[in-house]
Amino acid sequence: DPRFSITHLPPQPASIFCRRDHPLAQQDRPISRQQILQYPWSGVVPSSEASLYALFDLKPGTLLPWTLSSNDLNLLRETTLTSDSLLLTWCSWLEQDLRDGVLVDLMPSIQPGWPADLLTITNAVVCQAGRTLSPIAQQAVDSIIANAER
């Protein structure tokens, strides 16, 4: 759409996370894809349903277990820490929680695994074309792009 200027950001590695005492994190055998479907999911923006159907070998139109979609990262984090909900999101914003051991990345335990290039989240910065951003908005966009490229 020529009315918009779109800056595509590099794909961000993504995974499936849960609290450390979640039943899947405690299990001593590999986690099946079917088990992931048995728990509620949360995330910032649900990923493309087509890619999720492919990841889980599901027929298009199958009901996926999304229960919470929010852009409030604190809400998503707290929901994951206090429930059996699984968080599908990019990895970088949870690094400290993973180091502290309060959250667990389930991806290494899921069998069969997925190729890393399928486990990404793509984003873009969208602005009105031909319009100049305010200085603070331009600073925010520049910061988002710089952080995404790291």
Side-chain angles (χ1 to χ4, degrees), residues 133-147:
L133 296 175
S134 69
I136 193 71
Q138 187 61 58
Q139 229 178 353
V141 168
D142 292 344
S143 177
I144 291 167
I145 292 170
N147 283 317

Side-chain angles (χ1 to χ4, degrees), residues 40-131:
W41 294 354
S42 63
V44 173
V45 176
S47 299
S48 156
E49 292 208 353
S51 65
L52 288 171
Y53 294 143
L55 283 174
F56 286 94
D57 300 320
L58 298 172
K59 293 180 181 177
T62 302
L63 185 61
L64 297 171
W66 286 109
T67 57
L68 175 63
S69 175
S70 176
N71 63 359
D72 183 337
L73 299 182
N74 289 325
L75 173 65
L76 293 171
R77 181 182 175 277
E78 286 303 312
T79 299
T80 305
L81 290 171
T82 59
S83 73
D84 280 346
S85 184
L86 301 176
L87 178 58
L88 283 70
T89 190
W90 65 95
C91 301
S92 61
W93 74 276
L94 297 173
E95 287 175 349
Q96 188 62 49
D97 285 326
L98 293 169
R99 278 194 297 275
D100 293 344
V102 296
L103 289 177
V104 174
D105 182 349
L106 293 178
M107 204 54 66
S109 300
I110 298 172
Q111 295 298 321
W114 290 292
D117 62 324
L118 291 180
L119 296 168
T120 60
I121 295 177
T122 56
N123 291 294
V125 176
V126 180
C127 302
Q128 286 185 309
R131 304 285 297 269

